[in-house]
């Protein structure tokens, strides 16, 4: 991925965003839940303290949602769906609400970037250049779908009188459970597609970075969304998240997070009301680099992607499968660029890599590097020496990695790359076999200028998205995974259809 240069913020705008952040923390400390149009305090006996990962300092402690709060939120969402103005509102008005929300997100872009930077650790530069503009664009795109989700009228039956058609209806009450790594963007993707389809929503942000979702819900209020249409229940996964996924009156859970929790949510659906689900889970995406590739561009893309969110990015290409003939050259290019990356507090404009989200995450990444060394991989760049007190980790590169090593099999969620040479008479088949040797199938990247090889690889790779030579095109396309990276798609036409039920109607005359 390549980040467009972010427009520098003027210092007055930055100061205003800082003041706004202080106010947001004060409001969150008082009442962080939004249920049926009212701000209330969570009733869990375990409050949540969210921290700034760049310093470790506590930002705010907020009351978390309890089972009773979840029941209230789902009840409010159901009432807003069946009784409230939302379900009767013309689609054009729903779209207008979403466009107003997009305008507000855009108007508050500095503030939203700062919230995400302080609460989630991402560099301001990448938040301004990627997350916030994508949140705005996604909201506008979804607004455009309101009223455009239609059924079909098949050819008239040849025999018998009558008529038949299919129609689409909102799936109902949607619970959106989101991760911390791109908290705002994930919440926006789920919320705005559910709303465009005519659903109502209960949002459960991750406890490690809930503040941008809180601000999002305030902006929803300002955009004129009626009470009960958007409810917010920050809380613990094993309390609020579990209550939502087991709830008998939730029609669909849209979840982005780990494969482990995805399994739990799937089981909860089976144990409760067979609620529908969209599961966007983990990944361990391969990057196939063939000898005819533009190596410089490929190396730059790999480095940018691992810098983006310090590797805490589900589709990051971390398994590098490099044709033997260019393996050493490619590693040399990578090393040169990785060493030049600047690690530090994402508030600074010159920082490429922010901190990891938490101390346990930092320890986890340390553990994987130790495992890689013990398993015999070649440590070409060791990033373990980053100083604290923030949860920093420098870029790390392993060479001569093998498919049976934990560093290659597991999603590390840190800035750790593993390179593997590949050779063979049929290089496409050899590379695809290595790339597909994974329980995940979220994304795969290909670098080659040989069209025939590219097309063969695209066909053979088991991944929900295949990105060739850095990718092209524009606009939100469906994203999602093969294998244990989940099922269902988000954004694009398929992503919208996920929030609908299909009804078949046969009318006899
Ligand atoms: P996570 O631990 O699975 O948590 C995700 C969300 O689920 C959080 O809100 C969490 O709550 C909640 N949760 C935890 N246990 C739950 C339970 N038993 N029932 C219901 N909800 C529960 O994931 P994460 O560490 O936040 O995020 C990292 C993961 O997200 C990675 O695996 C990454 O690949 C994946 N991800 C995937 C995509 C994609 O598009 N495929 C995009 C981004 C991230 P608390 O954290 O508040 O306890
Ligand atoms: Mg935080």
């Amino acid at each position: 991925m390549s980040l467009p240069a972010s427009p520098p913020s003027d210092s007055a705008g930055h100061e205003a965003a800082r003041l706004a952040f202080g106010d947001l923390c004060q409001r969150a400390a008082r009442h962080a839940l939004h249920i049926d149009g009212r701000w209330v305090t969570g009733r869990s006996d375990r409050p949540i303290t969210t921290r700034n990962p760049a310093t470790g300092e506590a930002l705010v402690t907020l009351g978390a949602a309890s089972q009773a709060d979840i029941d209230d939120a789902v009840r409010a969402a159901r009432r807003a769906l069946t009784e409230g103005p939302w379900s009767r509102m013309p689609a054009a008005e729903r779209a207008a609400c979403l466009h107003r929300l997009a305008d507000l997100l855009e108007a508050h872009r500095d503030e939203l970037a700062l919230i995400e930077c302080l609460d989630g650790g991402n560099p301001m530069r990448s938040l301004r250049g990627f997350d916030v503009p994508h949140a705005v664009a996604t909201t506008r795109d979804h607004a455009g779908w309101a009223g455009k989700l239609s059924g079909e009228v098949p050819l008239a039956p040849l025999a018998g009188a009558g008529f038949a058609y299919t129609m689409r209806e909102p799936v109902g009450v949607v619970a959106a459970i989101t991760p911390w790594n791109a908290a705002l963007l994930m919440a926006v993707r789920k919320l705005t597609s559910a709303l465009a389809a005519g659903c109502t929503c209960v949002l459960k942000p991750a406890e490690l970075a809930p503040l941008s979702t809180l601000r999002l819900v305030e902006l929803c209020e300002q955009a004129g969304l009626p009470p009960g249409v958007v409810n917010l229940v920050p809380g613990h996964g094993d309390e609020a998240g579990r209550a939502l996924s087991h709830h008998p009156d939730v029609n669909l859970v849209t979840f982005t997070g780990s494969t482990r929790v995805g399994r739990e949510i799937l089981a909860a659906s089976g144990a409760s009301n067979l609620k529908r689900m969209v599961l966007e889970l983990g990944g361990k995406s391969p990057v196939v680099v063939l000898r005819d590739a533009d190596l410089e561009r490929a190396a730059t893309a790999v480095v940018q992607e691992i810098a983006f969110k310090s590797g805490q990015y589900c589709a990051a290409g971390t398994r590098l499968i490099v044709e033997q003939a260019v393996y050493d050259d490619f590693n040399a290019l990578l090393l040169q660029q990785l060493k030049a990356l600047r690690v530090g507090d994402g508030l600074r404009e010159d920082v490429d890599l922010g901190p990891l989200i938490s101390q346990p995450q930092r320890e986890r990444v340390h553990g994987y590097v130790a495992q890689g060394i013990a398993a015999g991989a070649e440590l070409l760049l060791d990033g373990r020496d980053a100083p604290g007190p923030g949860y920093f980790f420098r870029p790390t590169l392993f060479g001569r990695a093998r498919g049976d090593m934990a560093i290659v099999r597991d999603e590390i969620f840190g800035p750790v790359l593993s390179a593997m040479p590949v050779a063979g008479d049929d290089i496409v088949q050899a590379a695809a076999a290595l790339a597909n040797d994974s329980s995940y199938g979220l994304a795969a990247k290909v670098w080659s200028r040989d069209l025939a090889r590219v097309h063969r690889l695209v066909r053979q790779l088991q991944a929900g998205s295949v990105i060739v030579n850095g990718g092209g095109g524009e606009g939100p396309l469906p994203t999602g995974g093969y294998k244990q990276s989940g099922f269902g798609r988000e954004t694009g036409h398929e992503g919208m259809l996920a929030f609908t039920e299909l009804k078949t109607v046969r009318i006899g005359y």
Side-chain angles (χ1 to χ4, degrees):
M1 65 188 311
S2 66
L3 295 177
S6 62
S9 159
D10 62 286
S11 58
H14 192 68
E15 189 48 33
R18 273 195 168 280
L19 290 173
F21 182 76
D23 290 348
L24 175 70
C25 288
Q26 285 187 8
R27 292 196 295 280
R30 279 201 303 276
H31 35 231
L33 277 62
H34 191 64
I35 297 177
D36 212 8
R38 281 186 300 275
W39 288 95
V40 295
T41 307
R43 286 170 284 174
S44 165
D45 53 17
R46 288 183 290 154
I48 287 173
T49 297
T50 184
R51 295 180 180 279
N52 177 353
T55 60
E57 79 177 308
L59 295 170
V60 60
T61 296
L62 41 95
S66 67
Q67 170 80 54
D69 293 321
I70 297 299
D71 290 342
D72 287 352
V74 174
R75 210 174 296 118
R78 173 64 57 195
R79 205 169 37 237
L81 185 76
T82 53
E83 296 168 22
W86 193 243
S87 47
R88 294 187 214 111
M89 196 181 271
E93 268 184 50
R94 267 192 282 122
C97 282
L98 289 174
H99 279 299
R100 282 198 298 275
L101 176 62
D103 292 344
L104 285 164
L105 291 170
E106 199 163 30
H108 292 268
R109 58 184 182 273
D110 278 354
E111 184 195 341
L112 289 164
L114 184 69
I115 296 168
E116 200 83 314
C117 174
L118 292 174
D119 201 9
N122 298 159
M124 284 296 275
R125 211 149 53 91
S126 70
L127 292 164
R128 284 208 214 98
F130 186 86
D131 296 56
V132 179
H134 273 72
V136 174
T138 302
T139 303
R140 292 202 202 290
D141 186 72
H142 287 163
W145 282 107
K148 295 195 184 70
L149 299 169
S150 55
E152 290 177 358
V153 181
L155 282 178
L158 291 178
F163 190 68
Y165 60 94
T166 61
M167 59 188 281
R168 298 244 165 219
E169 295 178 343
V171 71
V173 172
V174 169
I177 303 178
T178 46
W180 42 261
N181 63 334
L184 176 72
L185 187 54
M186 293 298 128
V188 162
R189 273 166 87 150
K190 293 175 188 307
L191 175 71
T192 57
S193 46
L195 295 180
C199 300
T200 57
C201 202
V202 181
L203 283 171
K204 205 300 273 173
E207 62 193 271
L208 289 169
L211 296 176
S212 58
T213 311
L214 208 139
R215 190 68 186 116
L216 167 68
V217 172
E218 289 183 342
L219 296 178
C220 286
E221 243 190 322
Q222 220 174 309
L225 285 153
V229 173
V230 180
N231 303 278
L232 172 69
V233 287
H236 299 273
D238 62 4
E239 187 174 13
R242 195 167 282 163
L244 278 171
S245 53
H246 280 274
H247 203 289
D249 204 29
V250 167
N251 298 105
L252 178 141
V253 172
T254 169
F255 170 78
T256 297
S258 61
T259 297
R260 180 186 65 77
V261 174
R263 283 183 212 286
E264 283 195 41
I265 291 177
L266 192 56
S269 164
S272 57
N273 61 343
L274 286 180
K275 52 181 67 67
R276 280 65 176 128
M277 45 196 48
V278 178
L279 299 179
E280 297 280 336
L281 309 179
K284 186 77 184 181
S285 298
V287 184
V288 175
V289 182
L290 299 185
R291 68 165 77 197
D292 60 82
D294 181 334
L295 294 186
E296 295 260 359
R297 272 183 65 208
T300 302
V302 167
V303 169
Q304 281 189 347
E305 204 167 67
I306 203 69
F308 183 61
K309 300 186 185 299
S310 298
Q312 303 169 115
Y313 167 50
C314 56
T318 49
R319 285 189 295 137
L320 313 180
I321 297 165
V322 187
E323 191 166 353
Q324 179 76 62
V326 292
Y327 176 79
D328 288 330
D329 290 349
F330 189 64
N331 278 347
L333 284 170
L334 284 178
L335 276 173
Q336 195 188 353
Q337 294 195 32
L338 287 170
K339 284 178 184 164
L341 289 175
R342 295 154 302 182
V343 181
D345 189 330
L347 279 175
R348 290 177 43 181
E349 289 294 332
D350 59 353
V351 157
D352 302 301
L353 252 87
L356 298 175
I357 186 70
S358 65
Q359 181 58 19
Q361 183 65 13
R362 189 171 182 233
E363 282 162 17
R364 196 168 161 263
V365 180
H366 267 270
Y368 272 112
V369 175
Q371 281 188 55
I373 296 166
E378 190 185 359
L379 187 57
L380 298 172
L381 185 64
D382 185 354
R384 289 175 294 176
D385 62 348
Y391 316 127
F392 296 102
F393 208 100
R394 290 187 199 284
T396 298
L397 175 64
F398 279 108
R400 306 272 156 207
R402 288 191 320 269
D404 60 345
M405 294 177 176
I407 52 166
V408 173
R409 302 209 78 76
D410 296 354
E411 181 183 50
I412 297 176
F413 241 47
V416 181
L417 297 165
S418 298
M420 298 179 277
V422 61
D425 294 338
D426 186 344
I427 191 68
V428 165
Q429 198 165 346
L434 264 183
N436 291 336
D437 182 20
S438 172
S439 60
Y440 294 114
L442 191 58
K445 332 274 161 126
V446 174
W447 289 89
S448 166
R449 285 176 285 203
D450 180 325
L451 211 54
R453 284 170 153 192
V454 166
H455 277 289
R456 282 184 63 212
L457 269 169
V458 167
R459 277 178 174 275
Q460 290 190 35
L461 290 169
Q462 297 160 356
S465 298
V466 180
I467 317 291
V468 179
N469 295 331
E474 63 173 307
L477 292 168
T479 55
Y482 281 26
K483 301 196 275 188
Q484 292 179 37
S485 290
F487 47 76
R489 291 293 178 270
E490 274 200 318
T491 65
H493 192 197
E494 285 75 6
M496 290 303 309
L497 293 181
F499 292 95
T500 66
E501 287 280 14
L502 184 73
K503 183 176 277 176
T504 300
V505 184
R506 294 170 174 277
I507 299 179
Y509 296 153

